[in-house]
Amino acid sequence: MIFRQLFEPLSSTYTYLLGCTETGQAVLIDPVVNSIERDLEELQRLNLTLAFTLDTHIHADHITAALHLKERVGSRIAAPAFDALVCADLGVVEGTPLQIGAILLHPLHTPGHTDGHHAYRVTDGSADRVFTGDALLIDGCGRTDFQNGDAAALYRSVHDKLFTLPDDCLVFPAHDYQQRRVSSIGQERARNPRLGGERSLEAFVAIMSGLDLPYPKFIDHAVPGNRQCGVCPTDLPQELAAYCGRMTESPQG
Ligand code: FE
């Protein structure tokens, strides 16, 4: 399997490119609309055909590139069936792997950050990876105060589904704000300051309710745009224009 971890600095989002060496088919997990040219160049450089885009959840901090990539290269849009997006070509559910060539992505319903959030696990020979979205970050987790977020649900998702994976399964999060790129289930289960060690559900709920985070500055544009698989609003205020920047500059966008 060909594997790339790509970073989008505006929202500190990691996009993951997985390519099948046998068929040349590829999937992008959590592509970002303003990084579409970078992603297409990477696919071309690796001689891969984008079969699918796949989002972990309806993002509040950036707009997915799913729809624009479909328009540009004919990729199909996969997204959690839970969210019932009319623009999706395929709804993924836990228990039914998404196949891209010889790659099998196993969805894990991991609600709590959003109610429809899914992580995806891929085993490739001896390599075991889980793309944890915003359910589990390195030494952290996504916020639980918007989009039907629920701290108790997130605790159960992480403990019952992610922390039951093997210790050496590599954790690839949807974001990191300190340039960290990868962790492991064993490391997060032991050391994650919110969810690891002996941290109880009650303690975690108290931590999350005490965070007092600011209102997300892009959420009111991102969520409706992402419910349409990645439509940039036409009325973006100047200070948010960079979130859709490259697309408005692209003659084909
Ligand atoms: Fe998120």
Side-chain angles (χ1 to χ4, degrees), residues 111-113 132 134-144 150-160 162-163 185-205 207-208:
H113 173 62
T132 54
D134 289 1
L136 178 64
L137 305 178
I138 299 170
D139 279 354
C141 64
R143 61 196 294 173
T144 54
D150 179 333
L154 183 59
Y155 185 93
R156 286 190 293 269
S157 291
V158 171
H159 277 257
D160 298 351
L162 300 177
F163 283 177
I185 290 295
Q187 184 171 314
E188 293 310 313
R189 193 195 298 113
R191 298 176 54 96
N192 188 295
R194 290 185 185 173
L195 287 149
E198 301 299 311
R199 194 73 76 184
S200 69
L201 187 151
E202 293 72 24
F204 176 67
V205 170
I207 289 169
M208 296 309 286

Side-chain angles (χ1 to χ4, degrees), residues 217-245:
K217 61 182 176 182
F218 195 46
I219 188 170
D220 293 330
H221 301 286
V223 170
N226 286 327
R227 290 208 67 90
Q228 300 170 78
C229 294
V231 172
C232 277
T234 51
D235 59 342
L236 261 189
Q238 190 61 38
E239 69 271 18
L240 298 176
Y243 284 91
C244 289

Side-chain angles (χ1 to χ4, degrees), residues 3-227:
F3 176 66
R4 289 283 186 274
Q5 182 180 31
L6 306 162
F7 184 66
E8 192 288 307
L10 194 61
S11 58
S12 296
T13 298
Y14 286 122
T15 295
Y16 298 98
L17 189 165
L18 282 61
C20 171
T21 47
E22 291 162 42
T23 63
Q25 303 273 293
V27 59
L28 282 169
I29 299 174
D30 288 337
V32 182
V33 79
N34 52 317
S35 294
I36 190 168
E37 304 301 338
R38 187 268 323 262
D39 295 354
L40 289 172
E41 281 167 21
E42 193 71 6
L43 286 159
Q44 197 168 29
R45 203 171 62 77
L46 295 165
N47 206 18
L48 294 169
T49 301
L50 186 65
F52 280 102
T53 58
L54 175 64
D55 277 281
T56 52
H57 64 292
I58 295 175
H59 304 281
D61 62 342
H62 68 267
I63 288 182
T64 174
L67 187 63
H68 286 282
L69 284 166
K70 177 179 180 167
E71 289 168 0
R72 291 281 291 273
V73 296
S75 46
R76 300 179 72 205
I77 299 173
F82 185 98
D83 290 319
L85 301 180
V86 293
C87 51
D89 298 303
L90 185 85
V92 298
V93 292
E94 184 171 317
T96 304
L98 176 66
Q99 186 164 5
I100 302 101
I103 300 168
L104 288 177
L105 277 158
H106 296 273
L108 296 166
H109 187 206
T110 40
H113 173 62
T114 72
D115 50 2
H117 186 286
H118 282 65
Y120 303 106
R121 185 185 181 196
V122 180
T123 52
D124 171 41
S126 60
D128 189 357
R129 299 179 177 94
V130 63
F131 303 95
T132 54
D134 289 1
L136 178 64
L137 305 178
I138 299 170
D139 279 354
C141 64
R143 61 196 294 173
T144 54
D145 51 349
F146 288 104
Q147 296 181 278
N148 298 320
D150 179 333
L154 183 59
Y155 185 93
R156 286 190 293 269
S157 291
V158 171
H159 277 257
D160 298 351
K161 296 210 176 152
L162 300 177
F163 283 177
T164 58
L165 298 175
D167 270 5
D168 57 1
C169 179
L170 296 175
V171 169
F172 287 98
H175 302 285
D176 195 85
Y177 304 95
Q178 297 172 51
Q179 285 84 48
R180 295 165 300 193
R181 288 182 162 264
V182 62
S183 182
S184 69
I185 290 295
Q187 184 171 314
E188 293 310 313
R189 193 195 298 113
R191 298 176 54 96
N192 188 295
R194 290 185 185 173
L195 287 149
E198 301 299 311
R199 194 73 76 184
S200 69
L201 187 151
E202 293 72 24
F204 176 67
V205 170
I207 289 169
M208 296 309 286
S209 64
L211 287 179
D212 197 25
L213 296 166
Y215 188 76
K217 61 182 176 182
F218 195 46
I219 188 170
D220 293 330
H221 301 286
V223 170
N226 286 327
R227 290 208 67 90

